[in-house]
Short mmCIF file of all heavy atoms in Angstrom, two decimals:
data_model
loop_
_atom_site.label_atom_id
_atom_site.label_comp_id
_atom_site.label_asym_id
_atom_site.label_seq_id
_atom_site.Cartn_x
_atom_site.Cartn_y
_atom_site.Cartn_z
N GLY J 23 -26.22 33.21 -29.23
CA GLY J 23 -24.92 32.74 -28.77
C GLY J 23 -24.15 33.81 -28.08
O GLY J 23 -24.31 35.01 -28.41
N GLY J 24 -23.46 33.45 -27.07
CA GLY J 24 -22.59 34.38 -26.33
C GLY J 24 -21.64 35.11 -27.31
O GLY J 24 -21.02 34.43 -28.14
N MET J 25 -21.58 36.45 -27.24
CA MET J 25 -20.75 37.15 -28.17
C MET J 25 -19.89 38.20 -27.41
O MET J 25 -20.47 39.04 -26.69
CB MET J 25 -21.52 37.81 -29.18
CG MET J 25 -22.18 36.92 -30.22
SD MET J 25 -22.88 37.72 -31.63
CE MET J 25 -24.46 38.25 -30.95
N VAL J 26 -18.52 38.10 -27.52
CA VAL J 26 -17.70 39.04 -26.76
C VAL J 26 -18.07 40.44 -27.23
O VAL J 26 -18.33 40.70 -28.34
CB VAL J 26 -16.23 38.60 -27.21
CG1 VAL J 26 -16.05 38.64 -28.79
CG2 VAL J 26 -15.22 39.56 -26.62
N LEU J 28 -20.59 42.02 -27.33
CA LEU J 28 -21.89 42.35 -27.93
C LEU J 28 -23.04 41.66 -27.06
O LEU J 28 -24.18 42.02 -27.10
CB LEU J 28 -22.11 41.88 -29.32
CG LEU J 28 -20.99 42.51 -30.26
CD1 LEU J 28 -21.20 41.98 -31.70
CD2 LEU J 28 -20.89 43.91 -30.23
N ASN J 74 -21.89 32.98 -21.15
CA ASN J 74 -20.94 32.24 -22.02
C ASN J 74 -19.53 32.54 -21.25
O ASN J 74 -19.18 33.60 -21.22
CB ASN J 74 -20.88 32.71 -23.42
CG ASN J 74 -19.86 32.02 -24.20
OD1 ASN J 74 -18.75 32.71 -24.53
ND2 ASN J 74 -19.97 30.80 -24.57
N MET J 76 -15.56 32.07 -21.54
CA MET J 76 -14.52 31.73 -22.43
C MET J 76 -13.38 31.09 -21.61
O MET J 76 -12.81 31.69 -20.73
CB MET J 76 -14.00 33.07 -23.05
CG MET J 76 -14.78 33.60 -24.22
SD MET J 76 -14.75 32.53 -25.65
CE MET J 76 -13.24 32.87 -26.43
N GLY J 100 -17.01 28.29 -24.45
CA GLY J 100 -16.36 28.45 -25.72
C GLY J 100 -14.91 28.26 -25.54
O GLY J 100 -14.33 28.43 -24.44
N GLU J 142 -21.36 23.36 -33.31
CA GLU J 142 -21.12 24.64 -34.06
C GLU J 142 -20.28 24.34 -35.29
O GLU J 142 -19.12 23.87 -35.24
CB GLU J 142 -20.47 25.56 -33.14
CG GLU J 142 -20.30 26.98 -33.81
CD GLU J 142 -19.45 27.92 -32.99
OE1 GLU J 142 -18.26 27.62 -32.84
OE2 GLU J 142 -20.03 29.00 -32.53
N SER J 146 -19.71 29.46 -38.83
CA SER J 146 -19.94 30.42 -37.80
C SER J 146 -19.07 31.63 -37.82
O SER J 146 -17.95 31.62 -38.35
CB SER J 146 -19.81 29.72 -36.46
OG SER J 146 -20.57 28.74 -36.21
N GLY J 147 -19.51 32.75 -37.13
CA GLY J 147 -18.60 33.75 -36.90
C GLY J 147 -17.83 33.47 -35.66
O GLY J 147 -18.22 32.68 -34.82
N ALA J 173 -25.53 25.23 -34.48
CA ALA J 173 -25.09 26.67 -34.64
C ALA J 173 -24.11 26.76 -35.79
O ALA J 173 -23.45 25.80 -36.23
CB ALA J 173 -24.25 27.08 -33.37
N GLY J 174 -24.21 27.92 -36.49
CA GLY J 174 -23.32 28.21 -37.65
C GLY J 174 -24.11 28.13 -38.99
O GLY J 174 -24.58 27.10 -39.36
N GLY J 175 -24.27 29.44 -39.47
CA GLY J 175 -24.96 29.40 -40.84
C GLY J 175 -26.46 29.47 -40.70
O GLY J 175 -27.07 29.21 -41.74
N ILE J 176 -27.01 29.81 -39.56
CA ILE J 176 -28.42 29.79 -39.43
C ILE J 176 -28.90 31.36 -39.24
O ILE J 176 -28.34 32.00 -38.47
CB ILE J 176 -28.92 28.98 -38.27
CG1 ILE J 176 -28.51 27.46 -38.51
CG2 ILE J 176 -30.48 29.10 -37.99
CD1 ILE J 176 -28.53 26.62 -37.32
N GLN J 194 -28.70 28.04 -32.33
CA GLN J 194 -27.97 29.13 -31.75
C GLN J 194 -27.42 30.03 -32.90
O GLN J 194 -26.83 29.51 -33.80
CB GLN J 194 -26.72 28.65 -30.89
CG GLN J 194 -25.87 29.81 -30.42
CD GLN J 194 -24.91 29.34 -29.33
OE1 GLN J 194 -25.29 29.00 -28.27
NE2 GLN J 194 -23.62 29.48 -29.64
N MET J 195 -27.76 31.36 -32.71
CA MET J 195 -27.29 32.29 -33.82
C MET J 195 -26.54 33.43 -33.14
O MET J 195 -26.70 33.82 -32.01
CB MET J 195 -28.53 32.93 -34.48
CG MET J 195 -29.50 31.95 -35.12
SD MET J 195 -30.73 32.78 -36.10
CE MET J 195 -31.51 33.78 -34.90
N GLY J 196 -25.41 33.82 -33.95
CA GLY J 196 -24.69 34.90 -33.55
C GLY J 196 -24.85 36.10 -34.46
O GLY J 196 -25.44 37.16 -34.19
N THR J 197 -24.45 35.95 -35.78
CA THR J 197 -24.41 36.94 -36.68
C THR J 197 -25.72 37.59 -36.92
O THR J 197 -25.84 38.81 -37.05
CB THR J 197 -23.83 36.44 -38.05
OG1 THR J 197 -22.63 35.69 -37.79
CG2 THR J 197 -23.59 37.53 -39.08
N TYR J 211 -20.25 48.51 -38.46
CA TYR J 211 -20.03 47.06 -38.47
C TYR J 211 -21.29 46.40 -38.92
O TYR J 211 -21.38 45.52 -39.75
CB TYR J 211 -19.53 46.64 -37.10
CG TYR J 211 -19.60 45.14 -36.75
CD1 TYR J 211 -19.25 44.20 -37.58
CD2 TYR J 211 -20.06 44.73 -35.43
CE1 TYR J 211 -19.17 42.84 -37.23
CE2 TYR J 211 -20.17 43.42 -35.03
CZ TYR J 211 -19.73 42.55 -35.97
OH TYR J 211 -19.77 41.21 -35.47
N LEU J 281 -15.87 40.12 -36.62
CA LEU J 281 -16.23 38.77 -36.51
C LEU J 281 -17.66 38.59 -37.28
O LEU J 281 -18.58 39.36 -37.01
CB LEU J 281 -16.49 38.20 -35.13
CG LEU J 281 -15.17 38.30 -34.20
CD1 LEU J 281 -15.46 37.64 -32.82
CD2 LEU J 281 -14.06 37.55 -34.94
N GLY J 283 -20.35 35.34 -39.45
CA GLY J 283 -20.44 34.08 -40.06
C GLY J 283 -20.71 34.19 -41.59
O GLY J 283 -21.02 35.37 -42.01
N ILE J 285 -23.26 33.40 -43.02
CA ILE J 285 -24.65 33.76 -43.25
C ILE J 285 -24.91 35.27 -43.38
O ILE J 285 -25.92 35.73 -43.75
CB ILE J 285 -25.53 33.12 -41.98
CG1 ILE J 285 -27.03 33.07 -42.47
CG2 ILE J 285 -25.36 34.03 -40.76
CD1 ILE J 285 -27.27 32.00 -43.35
C1 FMN E 25 -19.35 38.94 -33.09
C2 FMN E 25 -19.30 37.50 -32.61
C3 FMN E 25 -18.78 37.21 -31.39
C4 FMN E 25 -18.77 35.93 -30.87
N1 FMN E 25 -18.18 35.68 -29.57
C5 FMN E 25 -18.19 34.48 -28.98
C6 FMN E 25 -17.77 34.21 -27.70
O1 FMN E 25 -17.27 35.19 -27.03
N2 FMN E 25 -17.79 33.02 -27.17
C7 FMN E 25 -18.40 31.96 -27.95
O2 FMN E 25 -18.45 30.84 -27.45
N3 FMN E 25 -18.86 32.15 -29.21
C8 FMN E 25 -18.81 33.35 -29.78
N4 FMN E 25 -19.29 33.56 -31.03
C9 FMN E 25 -20.03 32.53 -31.67
C10 FMN E 25 -21.59 32.63 -31.42
O3 FMN E 25 -21.97 32.49 -30.07
C11 FMN E 25 -22.36 31.58 -32.32
O4 FMN E 25 -22.14 30.31 -31.82
C12 FMN E 25 -22.02 31.72 -33.77
O5 FMN E 25 -22.09 33.02 -34.11
C13 FMN E 25 -23.08 30.96 -34.58
O6 FMN E 25 -22.85 31.06 -35.96
P1 FMN E 25 -23.53 32.30 -36.84
O7 FMN E 25 -22.64 33.42 -36.61
O8 FMN E 25 -23.34 31.67 -38.24
O9 FMN E 25 -24.87 32.52 -36.31
C14 FMN E 25 -19.27 34.86 -31.56
C15 FMN E 25 -19.83 35.15 -32.81
C16 FMN E 25 -19.91 36.42 -33.34
C17 FMN E 25 -20.56 36.68 -34.67
#
Side-chain angles (χ1 to χ4, degrees):
M25 289 190 279
V26 56
L28 307 181
N74 174 256
M76 283 296 279
E142 188 188 65
S146 298
I176 296 161
Q194 168 166 299
M195 302 190 296
T197 308
Y211 162 47
L281 300 184
I285 201 68

